[in-house]
Amino acid sequence: MDGNGRWARKRHLPRAVGHKRGVEAVREVARAARDMGLEALTLYAFSTENWRRPEDEIGALMGLLKSFILSDLEEFAANDVRLKVIGDYNAFSPDVVELVKRALARTAGNSGTTLAVALNYGSQAEIARAAAKAAAKGSITPATIEAELDTADMPPLDLLIRTSGEVRLSNFLLWQAAYAEMWFTDVLWPDFTPAHLQQALDAFAQRERRYGGR
Ligand code: FPP
């Protein structure tokens, strides 16, 4: 969900306002994913590298995450959306941890769209953790590592979207992206709408996936 900062800068607004508008885009896109019947949508909200940002920006992001859960949890619960977190959110402050746990428990029985949020997530660390767990169980193979990834209970990654014109993965779902289709768009995240998601899905539907075969 890249481009919140640039969205705000273009309008001479504080970065936090860009993040706030980013949450509005999250809300619309999450609803659309559910309405379109997507099995899963994973949003990269906070990376292991985002701790390098100024304290007030981190605080603003945490505040937005909390208010998003408080305002939208019941809608997700009522609409068969299962919330999930990838990454180690236990590093966050106790109030955030409690709220996230409550949201996960509240929607755990749902079986419609899975809305996964990457919090304190970094793919290299995830893969290292998974490999260590696989090793402890006595076998390191692609299948045993995959079974220990944070995404183990999710469907394979089909489509990866990056907004704001950057053309890199930035430590997001590196393992899972092995055969994912990529969609890079110049649209800044706060401007990203369900129509943009549909555009990416339409392009995805045209792609021929061979998984190394022919
Ligand atoms: C990247 O934009 C965005 C982030 C680091 C934060 C994304 C988080 C949210 C939208 C809010 C919290 C999430 C949820 C699920 C409620 P940037 O700041 O790097 O933008 P820039 O590259 O234009 O500076």
Side-chain angles (χ1 to χ4, degrees), residues 84-88 121 126 129 148-154:
K84 179 181 165 74
V85 170
I86 61 171
D88 181 15
Y121 175 84
E126 178 199 25
R129 266 197 317 271
E148 303 294 346
L149 293 173
D150 296 356
T151 51
D153 62 345
M154 294 177 69

Side-chain angles (χ1 to χ4, degrees), residues 5-16:
R6 274 162 284 170
W7 184 95
R9 196 164 60 236
K10 278 197 337 196
R11 291 162 179 78
H12 308 287
L13 293 167
R15 291 180 68 82

Side-chain angles (χ1 to χ4, degrees), residues 165-182:
E166 311 293 354
V167 187
R168 54 176 175 263
L169 295 184
S170 300
N171 208 11
F172 187 54
L173 300 179
L174 302 179
W175 179 290
Q176 296 85 342
Y179 284 102
E181 298 293 325
M182 307 279 169

Side-chain angles (χ1 to χ4, degrees), residues 126-144:
E126 178 199 25
I127 295 168
R129 266 197 317 271
K133 283 188 199 162
K137 291 183 183 173
S139 145
I140 304 185
T141 68
T144 62

